[in-house]
Amino acid sequence: MMGGLVLLLLGIAFATVGVTGYVIFGPLTCRHLQDRGQAGLMAGSSLSPTGLLWILRGGYGQLGDAGLRALALPARIMLILTLAGVFLLVLRWLLVQA
């Protein structure tokens, strides 16, 4: 019982922090690329599947742009936190169903 509550609280916390942070750093990363004429790397949006995957797998590291890295690394961390939160919530739901 207590473990389920911990999973629920951590899942909500991770997802909330991750989404909030990504809403800040994701568009800033996209804008940085647009300013440098490389918007195609994220398919024009920080919420596009291409953009999400590009940030998640660390595609920004290959460009050698320190300013881009300063924006994209926090976006990547926030995206990972979001996914971890969703995973914990799904895990809790599965445990409750069992």
Side-chain angles (χ1 to χ4, degrees), residues 7-98:
L7 286 176
L8 177 66
L9 292 174
L10 282 177
I12 290 171
F14 284 6
T16 302
V17 169
V19 168
T20 303
Y22 189 79
V23 165
I24 295 168
F25 287 103
L28 287 174
T29 302
C30 187
R31 183 63 198 184
H32 185 88
L33 288 170
Q34 288 174 350
D35 290 346
R36 283 155 178 70
Q38 299 171 326
L41 294 173
M42 290 184 75
S45 170
S46 61
L47 295 176
S48 70
T50 304
L52 290 169
L53 287 173
W54 184 79
I55 287 180
L56 192 59
R57 65 171 203 270
Y60 54 87
Q62 300 168 353
L63 299 178
D65 182 346
L68 176 62
R69 184 170 296 136
L71 294 170
L73 180 60
R76 183 181 189 191
I77 292 169
M78 295 300 123
L79 193 53
I80 291 169
L81 268 176
T82 302
L83 293 174
V86 169
F87 172 77
L88 290 174
L89 291 171
V90 168
L91 180 62
R92 191 231 181 235
W93 181 78
L94 289 172
L95 289 174
V96 169
Q97 298 300 318

